[in-house]
Amino acid sequence: MIIIYKYQMRILALSALLFTLASCNEKKKPKQEKDPINKEVKAPKDIISLNEASSIYNNYTKHRISVIENYELEQRAPEKEFIPARFVDFDYQTIKNYIAYVDHEASKAGVKEVTKLRLYFANYPNEGKFADGKKVVHPRQNSIFMVPTLDKNGENHGFYIGEDGKAKLISDWKQNNKMEMGANSLNPNIKSHASMIPSFTLNSSLLAGTSLVLNRGNGGPPPKSEF
């Protein structure tokens, strides 16, 4: 009887040990995050209604389209057909990749926080190619480009990554360009070409670094079923 009792006690002790180990393992397991599809996300405060979107779209039609058409068809290039752009879109994944890229580059450059994505209005040249050799798909059409900003002294400034890997202000780059171009235009050793047009040679250091500007989305008239 004593032998059986000791055997039973050993079984109980072993069972208790296994139960304790199992409980510890359960506690160590990381909590599984909720399915992102089912996770509730609050709508941004700046979401507008479809009615409001349609209203401001129609305002653009009424107050801007005719002005653009008249200029393009009467002054800029009367001999060419022109249809004003009404939208610019980017692949959804491109935007996600762009934000991830900006965050990554900004973090490496020591930027504490990317404060905004600033959208600039732009206009494509009446040419077949851009300066980098890529095709201009929609000559003369309006477009946008995006620039990330950082905070400096309470103001938001567009930035890029300098050659030294640090964040630099685009406004400083622009000012340096102007100063360099002005110096070159006054330099008698720099010859002019094509009659009276001066030849500007920018210092290569002004062009070094990494741009964070996103452009070249798709543009054109929207589907007739929208707005």
Side-chain angles (χ1 to χ4, degrees):
M1 293 293 294
I2 295 175
I3 295 175
I4 295 175
Y5 176 76
K6 288 182 178 180
Y7 178 75
Q8 290 176 338
M9 291 300 295
R10 288 177 181 176
I11 294 295
L12 289 173
L14 180 60
S15 299
L17 178 61
L18 292 175
F19 178 78
T20 302
L21 291 174
S23 299
C24 291
N25 288 334
E26 286 294 329
K27 291 179 181 179
K28 291 180 180 178
K29 287 183 179 180
K31 293 182 179 180
Q32 293 183 349
E33 294 184 1
K34 293 183 178 180
D35 186 343
I37 296 178
N38 296 324
K39 185 178 180 180
E40 185 176 354
V41 178
K42 292 183 179 180
K45 62 182 179 63
D46 297 320
I47 290 288
I48 65 174
S49 69
L50 293 181
N51 285 335
E52 186 174 353
S54 179
S55 175
I56 59 179
Y57 178 89
N58 291 334
N59 283 342
Y60 189 84
T61 302
K62 181 178 179 181
H63 302 294
R64 293 293 182 271
I65 289 297
S66 61
V67 176
I68 295 172
E69 285 180 330
N70 290 338
Y71 170 74
E72 292 291 344
L73 296 175
E74 295 178 9
Q75 299 183 46
R76 191 176 186 184
E79 72 283 0
K80 297 180 180 179
E81 181 183 6
F82 180 79
I83 300 176
R86 298 305 309 266
F87 75 91
V88 176
D89 65 15
F90 296 88
D91 292 338
Y92 186 65
Q93 190 61 47
T94 295
I95 295 296
K96 293 175 68 175
N97 292 345
Y98 173 65
I99 292 175
Y101 174 70
V102 168
D103 285 340
H104 179 260
E105 293 297 313
S107 178
K108 287 198 306 179
V111 177
K112 292 182 179 179
E113 180 185 8
V114 177
T115 54
K116 294 179 181 293
L117 278 179
R118 180 173 290 161
L119 275 63
Y120 280 94
F121 300 115
N123 183 262
Y124 286 145
N126 186 23
E127 299 173 3
K129 294 182 179 180
F130 291 103
D132 61 4
K134 292 184 179 180
K135 182 180 179 181
V136 179
V137 179
H138 300 292
R140 299 189 290 159
Q141 284 197 352
N142 291 340
S143 182
I144 61 170
F145 60 86
M146 300 182 203
V147 176
T149 70
L150 54 77
D151 177 84
K152 183 177 181 181
N153 300 326
E155 295 183 352
N156 293 300
H157 294 267
F159 70 95
Y160 69 103
I161 308 302
E163 190 177 15
D164 60 358
K166 302 297 183 182
K168 309 291 183 183
L169 301 186
I170 294 176
S171 56
D172 291 341
W173 168 84
K174 183 67 177 291
Q175 184 62 31
N176 289 339
N177 267 350
K178 287 182 178 179
M179 293 174 62
E180 183 72 12
M181 291 172 68
N184 285 343
S185 65
L186 297 174
N187 189 341
N189 295 322
I190 297 179
K191 296 181 179 180
S192 295
H193 303 277
S195 67
M196 300 299 293
I197 301 177
S199 173
F200 297 134
T201 304
L202 295 180
N203 188 320
S204 60
S205 65
L206 298 179
L207 305 177
T210 302
S211 170
L212 300 177
V213 179
L214 180 68
N215 180 236
R216 299 180 188 171
N218 299 308
K224 293 182 179 180
S225 58
E226 291 182 358
F227 301 111

